[in-house]
Amino acid sequence: MRSGKGAMCTPVLQFTNCRILRGQKLLREDLWVRGGRILDPERLFFEERLVADEQRDCGGCILAPGFIDVQINGGFGVDFSQATEDVGSGVALVARRLLPHGVTSFCPTLVTSPPEVYHKVLPQIPVKSGGPHGAGVLGVHLEGPFISREKRGAHPEAHLRSFEANAFHDVLATYGPLDNVRIVTLAPELDRSHEVIQALTARGICVSLGHSVANLRAAEEAVQSGATFITHLFNAMLPFHHRDPGIVGLLTSDRLPPGRHIFYGMISDGMHTNPAALRIAHRAHPQGLVLVTDAVPALGLGNGRHTLGQQEVEVDGLTAYVAGTKTLSGSIAPMDVCIRHFLQATGCSIESALEAASLHPAQLLGLEKRKGTLDFGADAGQGLMWGIPGSLKTQEFLGGLGQGKGGQMDGTFPVPRRPYLATSLALSHQARLSGI
């Protein structure tokens, strides 16, 4: 038998003594990686007649896909809704700082802003692959300005918009080119919203329903037009009512198109959603739950005043408010903390919690063949999580074969240090997560 390096000029790495998250189960199998892809070991052995160039003993840890955050407004002092001259450097900083929290792909999110902000910012946030430099960018999430005034939450009322006679033209005039856009959140009760939903989905853009006073009928019609996501369920929408459950009713609706799967975001930070509400949603529709942080630029900075687009935000302890009010303004919890709280609040399995932050968002974006999974042929160039009782360790997927020193991180908002390289994987920063 030959080594993979000699045969393919690309080394093969074998992870042993681990449990792999695959197909909603933890399997005691080895994981084989080459050139940024997960390998089928049977084909490697019997067809290519190869063995691993390097083996790594995982010590019984869990290997799972890297997390995907589809709603994050910024972090570590970077505000994605601020029209600076160098937006890209801020996105890169956030991408780098997200890796220690297990996030290997994300959708930078812009809150309601004036058109000139979109026109300047959006061209500066292209889709970008992840790696040692940081998490990958999957496309921008535009939350607003086509939302309800009544349920605007922390969005500035002065910049809210509705759809005029030529609805999609209004969208283009507001945002500019949509090349870098992956998700748009809008209120489905707005006139001509279905025309916009159809136009966006025809361009491959995911439409999410949120910041809305829509009843269930309007929400169902939006899904029939192509909407597939709900922005932060329970927050900034009509509360559940037994005669008309509103957007929340989509979780169990029987009027969705055949084969249509509705996904919904949940902010599991211990502030936005009561544990009982988390349990209700998870038990009603576990396959559609997508954990999001909705993190604001104050993530990692502590108490004080910060920005969120056109608004000023005040952080007090674990909560962010629009300054001078008691209106919640996003979260300051990173994804690993949200997963821990979700596990504790719902009592769900580790498999379910990890898939809510990896497989489900990948399915939402149609990326489940490459991301959010450890199936053969999937990406191994972004990140893994090692889970052991009492902790999670972030795996950064890097190119090349080498060695370095790992970085130990303590506290809630650690600063990454030098990674430990290994073929297309790197064992690095430890972030304590009790409860797993």
Side-chain angles (χ1 to χ4, degrees):
M1 300 294 288
R2 302 165 296 166
S3 70
K5 188 173 182 180
M8 303 292 295
C9 298
T10 304
V12 174
L13 182 64
Q14 178 186 6
F15 286 86
T16 65
N17 188 21
C18 55
R19 291 179 292 164
I20 299 174
L21 178 62
R22 183 178 287 160
Q24 301 178 328
K25 297 179 181 178
L26 288 174
L27 306 177
R28 290 197 173 275
E29 296 181 2
D30 294 352
L31 185 73
W32 300 67
V33 176
R34 178 177 64 196
R37 295 287 176 184
I38 296 173
L39 300 176
D40 180 345
E42 291 189 4
R43 293 187 61 182
L44 182 73
F45 187 86
F46 291 108
E47 296 181 15
E48 299 184 38
R49 306 289 291 174
L50 298 179
V51 295
D53 296 283
E54 184 177 352
Q55 291 184 336
R56 293 206 175 270
D57 189 327
C58 300
C61 294
I62 295 171
L63 294 184
F67 303 144
I68 301 171
D69 193 351
V70 300
Q71 186 177 4
I72 173 171
N73 308 289
F76 317 105
V78 176
D79 187 340
F80 297 144
S81 299
Q82 290 285 329
T84 66
E85 295 299 326
D86 189 11
V87 173
S89 64
V91 174
L93 185 151
V94 173
R96 186 170 66 252
R97 298 286 296 271
L98 288 178
L99 282 179
H101 298 288
V103 175
T104 57
S105 299
F106 68 112
C107 292
T109 303
L110 273 66
V111 296
T112 294
S113 302
E116 56 267 24
V117 170
Y118 297 117
H119 294 175
K120 187 168 186 177
V121 171
L122 286 179
Q124 298 188 63
I125 312 182
V127 173
K128 185 176 183 179
S129 297
H133 57 274
V137 175
L138 300 177
V140 176
H141 180 167
L142 299 175
E143 186 185 8
F146 302 101
I147 58 175
S148 164
R149 293 184 182 275
E150 182 180 343
K151 293 295 182 181
R152 65 185 183 276
H155 291 244
E157 184 174 11
H159 300 300
L160 298 182
R161 301 174 70 93
S162 57
F163 302 119
E164 303 301 330
N166 192 344
F168 193 63
H169 176 78
D170 293 339
V171 171
L172 295 177
T174 300
Y175 296 142
L178 301 175
D179 299 347
N180 297 333
V181 176
R182 198 59 181 260
I183 304 173
V184 172
T185 291
L186 55 78
E189 71 273 15
L190 296 179
D191 289 343
R192 305 177 186 86
S193 63
H194 300 291
E195 172 188 336
V196 172
I197 293 171
Q198 291 169 355
L200 289 171
T201 55
R203 288 161 174 77
I205 296 172
C206 169
V207 174
S208 186
L209 311 180
H211 287 277
S212 166
V213 294
N215 58 26
L216 178 57
R217 176 64 63 85
E220 289 171 333
E221 290 174 350
V223 174
Q224 291 162 7
S225 293
T228 55
F229 193 40
I230 302 171
T231 296
H232 44 53
L233 188 75
F234 296 123
N235 289 277
M237 61 185 61
L238 291 178
F240 179 90
H241 190 279
H242 59 283
R243 292 193 186 93
D244 189 338
I247 290 177
V248 177
L250 288 175
L251 272 62
T252 57
S253 173
D254 59 0
R255 297 188 66 244
L256 303 185
R260 181 67 55 82
H261 193 59
I262 191 72
F263 292 91
Y264 59 98
M266 295 290 288
I267 308 172
S268 177
D269 64 347
M271 299 294 164
H272 277 78
T273 313
N274 186 279
L278 285 172
R279 290 191 290 272
I280 289 171
H282 179 253
R283 293 172 189 177
H285 185 29
Q287 296 82 10
L289 195 149
V290 174
L291 288 176
V292 301
T293 63
D294 197 21
V296 295
L299 170 66
L301 300 184
N303 291 344
R305 291 213 169 192
H306 311 274
T307 65
L308 177 59
Q310 310 301 303
Q311 304 266 52
E312 195 170 50
V313 171
E314 188 162 6
V315 174
D316 181 12
L318 300 177
T319 309
Y321 300 103
V322 175
T325 76
K326 287 299 181 181
T327 300
L328 286 175
S329 181
S331 167
I332 55 170
M335 183 62 80
D336 49 3
V337 171
C338 291
I339 292 172
R340 178 184 64 189
H341 179 70
F342 182 69
L343 275 164
Q344 295 172 340
T346 64
C348 71
S349 66
I350 295 176
E351 296 93 321
S352 295
L354 293 175
E355 288 191 341
S358 56
L359 177 62
H360 296 178
Q363 291 173 330
L364 166 69
L365 299 177
L367 300 174
E368 68 274 15
K369 299 296 184 183
R370 298 189 294 111
K371 299 185 183 297
T373 177
L374 297 183
D375 289 346
F376 303 142
D379 281 1
Q382 293 278 338
L384 281 179
M385 295 299 297
W386 290 49
I388 59 175
S391 72
L392 286 181
K393 302 177 184 178
T394 303
Q395 300 292 298
E396 297 172 18
F397 288 177
L398 308 176
L401 180 63
Q403 292 187 353
K405 293 183 178 180
Q408 176 72 36
M409 302 189 309
D410 298 311
T412 307
F413 305 111
V415 177
R417 302 176 189 168
R418 294 177 58 197
Y420 181 90
L421 307 181
T423 308
S424 60
L425 299 157
L427 169 58
S428 75
H429 327 293
Q430 296 183 356
R432 292 198 180 99
L433 268 179
S434 61
I436 299 180

